Amino acid sequence: MTKLKFLNQPPRFLFFTGKGGVGKTSLACATAITLADADQRVLLVSTDPASNVGQVFGITIGNQVTAITSVPHLAALEIDPQAAAQAYRDRIVGPVRGVLPDTVVKGIEEQLSGACTTEIAAFDEFTALLTDSVLTADYDHIIFDTAPTGHTIRLLQLPGAWSDFLAEGKGDASCLGPLAGLEKQRAQYKAAVDALADSQRTRLVLVARAQQATLREVARTHEELAAIGLTKQFLVINGLFPQAETAQDPLATAIFQREQNALAAIPEALSQLPCDHIVLKPFNLVGLTALRKLLVDDLPVDGENKSNHHAIQFPSLSSLTDEIAKDGCGLIMLMGKGGVGKTTLAAAIAVNLAHRGLPVHLTTSDPAAHLSETLSGTMDNLLVDRIDPHVETERYRQHVLETKGSHLDAQGRALLEEDLRSPCTEEIAVFQAFSRIIREAGKKFVVMDTAPTGHTLLLLDATGAYHREVIKQMDPSIVHYSTPMMQLQNPKQTKILLVTLAETTPVLEAANLQADLRRAGIEPWAWIINNSVAARTVHSPLLCQRASNELADIKTVSTIHAKRYAVVPLLQEEPIGVHRLLNLLRSSQ
């Protein structure tokens, strides 16, 4: 058995959680194999919307327990959250279709289209797995790839009164609506939440990379889950660059040092957790041979991969910025999951446009304000500010509580307060702040970082009864929401740039975001693939192999997903400050 702390005397339930691209699926699969190899009976369950567990094992799994014949004692199950959410929506909307006006039905469907519904529906599917059902009686360990968020767990901890609250027509905020379909088996939900909070039965494994932004986000997840009783947590820092690979390769040396600096500054909340380090591997984590090597350190790199990799020429960010500059003004929005570098790229584009003598307003809701501090007052033609998500969210929450909440009894107000803790609430609040700035884009460039998701945009533009209820919650002094929405849908006024990495999971997530935006009538203008090794000349055998691995994902973006795209190379120095940000675009030429 491995010496890894998170696998020391593992309990029955193991949950792996972390944002896309950190390697939680690979770790969950490798853990399942390790336990099965030790003659433990293991069920591996994925609730990831972009699940690639079947792909990892090279077989089709799907929504039924499937034996992994190449690994005795191991079976797997992929819960399809999208299918679960669709069935869930049909169950709720079916009875009112044809009875209520189409506009009202459309509003209900949109309310049930977001991430909260998908997650709650998936949780509805796997609660049986957490409550010692007949389905799982034969297994010693059940391993979950992707845990429910603290928000979802809190929703399921709410008293049974929420159904009465909804039935009386009081509940119309963003996430209480999706709960309307969960009227069955309340006792089972309680048992499931109890199992999650029982450290004798459940262990939560937080998966991260050695990046400051990623570690800050994991620290927030840790604190949120600990606050609701999930205290037995372990931390795994995945994909650490090995020092042995740094010889005679400046980029390898820079990556190693950057990661060590991030680990040295790890948030205090995480420093107290049992922690394991997993070394970055040169190979793709597909197939049993690769997975069995994941939890083993100090593996030699294949001798065949020790040739140099010469930088490949791809379309550059500089060429995209040339096209943007021709318009003279407009709204530029960078969207993507956390950790892909959209804040830095937004700043680089803004600095480049300002350097050309064009007026630019750069605004971000990134909690790390170092870009504002670096850029403020250092360039002509550039205004930099930062929207504080906490301030905006609190302002929005107070407004909703003072208006809609003022008519509720104590029970209804408590439920509304819980709903206002939803991630959707922050997106709506930040979009309110963004919408005040959007009007400027007719006269100058407005570059926005950390944009709202397609689901939030649709909520703000929903028609019929639900739309009117949302508008009632908005501050009437703020510009009407259809105006910014129309501007976002107009490609002559707005350019949406999707930011991703040349890795399978981030590309899948960006493709899902693109589909979400298209559903809102918004067509992304371009994709940016950030931090590419393939775009650099490297000598480290590990980096040479990583560069080769990127090519398939870059091809997927360029041939399937993107109308136009750019590739930004991985840099030795973090691009902070005007000089380095200007160099970021030059380096991609």
Side-chain angles (χ1 to χ4, degrees):
M1 188 69 76
T2 176
K3 295 179 181 178
L4 293 168
K5 296 183 182 72
F6 79 89
L7 272 176
N8 183 31
Q9 297 182 315
R12 184 149 196 256
F13 302 116
L14 279 160
F15 280 88
F16 289 83
T17 188
K19 64 184 181 183
V22 295
K24 58 183 180 293
T25 297
S26 300
L27 278 169
C29 292
T31 299
I33 292 168
T34 300
L35 292 173
D37 285 347
D39 292 329
Q40 299 290 296
R41 296 166 302 170
V42 181
L43 177 63
L44 173 62
V45 181
S46 174
T47 59
D48 190 332
S51 176
N52 58 348
V53 169
Q55 179 186 351
V56 166
F57 284 108
I59 64 171
T60 300
I61 296 174
N63 195 20
Q64 58 185 1
V65 175
T66 304
I68 309 296
T69 54
S70 53
V71 184
H73 312 301
L74 176 60
L77 167 67
E78 288 180 328
I79 293 173
D80 183 344
Q82 301 299 341
Q86 186 57 52
Y88 184 76
R89 283 191 289 272
D90 292 344
R91 201 160 68 232
I92 297 173
V93 178
V96 300
R97 201 181 299 278
V99 177
L100 297 177
D102 288 346
T103 53
V104 176
V105 173
K106 183 178 179 182
I108 296 170
E109 286 179 325
E110 187 47 53
Q111 187 183 10
L112 298 173
S113 70
C116 294
T117 299
T118 303
E119 188 172 9
I120 290 168
F123 193 87
D124 187 33
E125 291 278 307
F126 75 63
T127 41
L129 302 175
L130 281 167
T131 52
D132 291 331
S133 69
V134 174
L135 182 62
T136 60
D138 293 335
Y139 298 99
D140 300 307
H141 299 285
I142 304 171
I143 296 173
F144 291 92
D145 168 26
T146 306
T149 64
H151 173 65
T152 299
I153 295 168
R154 277 201 312 272
L155 284 173
L156 293 166
Q157 288 176 321
L158 288 175
W162 56 256
S163 61
D164 299 329
F165 177 72
L166 289 162
E168 292 168 17
K170 298 176 182 176
D172 52 12
S174 61
C175 294
L176 286 175
L179 279 169
L182 295 183
E183 295 180 21
K184 58 173 187 173
Q185 302 168 318
R186 286 184 193 156
Q188 182 166 297
Y189 298 137
K190 183 180 186 305
V193 172
D194 289 346
L196 283 169
D198 183 350
S199 62
Q200 298 300 310
R201 289 188 283 169
T202 299
R203 181 173 296 175
L204 196 73
V205 182
L206 305 171
V207 185
R209 293 290 180 100
Q211 301 162 348
Q212 290 187 2
T214 305
L215 291 170
R216 282 196 300 269
E217 185 170 318
V218 170
R220 288 194 293 271
T221 300
H222 156 68
E223 290 172 339
E224 181 185 36
L225 293 171
I228 54 175
L230 278 70
T231 55
K232 196 64 174 178
Q233 299 181 24
F234 286 67
L235 176 65
V236 174
I237 309 292
N238 191 30
L240 276 171
F241 202 87
Q243 187 171 12
E245 285 279 328
T246 60
Q248 299 180 333
D249 191 321
L251 180 61
T253 302
I255 295 169
F256 174 79
Q257 196 55 56
R258 196 181 303 172
E259 291 183 346
Q260 294 303 308
N261 292 342
L263 292 177
I266 194 167
E268 186 177 350
L270 298 180
S271 65
Q272 308 302 315
L273 296 179
C275 182
D276 292 304
H277 290 173
I278 307 292
V279 172
L280 182 67
K281 302 300 187 291
F283 44 79
N284 283 321
L285 290 162
V286 176
L288 290 178
T289 302
L291 289 168
R292 284 198 166 100
K293 293 178 180 177
L294 175 58
L295 303 182
V296 179
D297 284 350
D298 302 322
L299 288 172
V301 176
D302 189 338
E304 294 179 5
N305 300 322
K306 292 192 175 180
S307 59
N308 292 339
H309 168 83
H310 296 285
I312 299 173
Q313 295 300 310
F314 297 106
S316 69
L317 182 58
S318 181
S319 63
L320 284 187
T321 309
D322 289 343
E323 279 194 71
I324 291 169
K326 290 176 185 176
D327 294 339
C329 64
L331 177 63
I332 313 300
M333 297 184 86
L334 284 90
M335 297 189 181
K337 296 292 184 181
V340 295
K342 58 185 180 295
T343 302
T344 299
L345 292 176
I349 291 168
V351 164
N352 184 274
L353 292 171
H355 189 65
R356 298 168 188 242
L358 298 164
V360 182
H361 181 177
L362 169 64
T363 184
T364 177
S365 61
D366 183 14
H370 60 265
L371 286 175
S372 300
E373 295 164 2
T374 303
L375 292 171
S376 183
T378 60
M379 278 195 82
D380 293 336
N381 307 312
L382 180 62
L383 167 66
V384 181
D385 61 19
R386 187 175 76 87
I387 294 167
D388 188 324
H390 300 296
V391 171
E392 298 297 337
T393 302
E394 186 56 31
R395 180 182 299 158
Y396 173 74
R397 287 182 69 253
Q398 289 303 318
H399 174 71
V400 173
L401 290 170
E402 288 168 8
T403 52
K404 184 164 291 295
S406 65
H407 307 300
L408 300 175
D409 56 23
Q411 185 183 74
R413 188 177 174 89
L415 289 163
L416 182 61
E417 286 178 345
E418 174 55 44
D419 188 52
L420 288 169
R421 294 191 187 105
S422 159
C424 302
T425 300
E426 181 175 307
E427 284 190 345
I428 291 171
V430 169
F431 186 75
Q432 285 193 6
F434 277 154
S435 68
R436 295 193 293 266
I437 299 167
I438 284 177
R439 287 171 293 175
E440 296 179 25
K443 299 178 180 178
K444 62 170 66 172
F445 279 109
V446 175
V447 181
M448 286 187 179
D449 162 47
T450 315
T453 65
H455 169 64
T456 302
L457 295 171
L458 280 163
L459 280 180
L460 293 166
D461 200 48
T463 57
Y466 182 64
H467 174 67
R468 290 191 294 274
E469 289 301 318
V470 171
I471 294 301
K472 286 178 185 176
Q473 296 181 27
M474 305 299 182
D475 186 336
S477 67
I478 296 173
V479 64
H480 192 272
Y481 286 89
S482 63
T483 304
M485 186 66 179
M486 289 168 61
Q487 183 161 345
L488 295 180
Q489 292 170 328
N490 186 343
K492 293 182 179 179
Q493 295 178 295
T494 300
K495 288 182 170 61
I496 305 290
L497 307 179
L498 294 183
V499 183
T500 187
L501 304 175
E503 298 173 14
T504 303
T505 302
V507 169
L508 280 171
E509 290 182 336
N512 289 338
L513 176 56
Q514 177 163 270
D516 215 13
L517 291 168
R518 284 172 172 167
R519 197 161 55 87
I522 299 170
E523 183 61 33
W525 183 72
W527 284 50
I528 303 174
I529 300 170
N530 196 25
N531 290 337
S532 170
V533 182
R536 291 291 306 263
T537 294
V538 291
H539 310 293
S540 152
L542 191 153
L543 286 181
C544 289
Q545 186 58 47
R546 301 286 297 182
S548 177
N549 293 346
E550 287 185 357
L551 299 180
D553 291 305
I554 294 173
K555 184 177 181 180
T556 297
V557 170
S558 63
T559 60
I560 297 175
H561 298 309
K563 294 184 176 178
R564 58 176 67 77
Y565 77 104
V567 177
V568 177
L570 180 61
L571 303 178
Q572 285 177 226
E573 296 181 312
E574 288 197 75
I576 297 174
V578 171
H579 178 70
R580 290 185 186 175
L581 289 166
L582 285 170
N583 283 338
L584 186 149
L585 268 81
R586 292 175 186 138
S587 70
S588 69
Q589 287 180 305

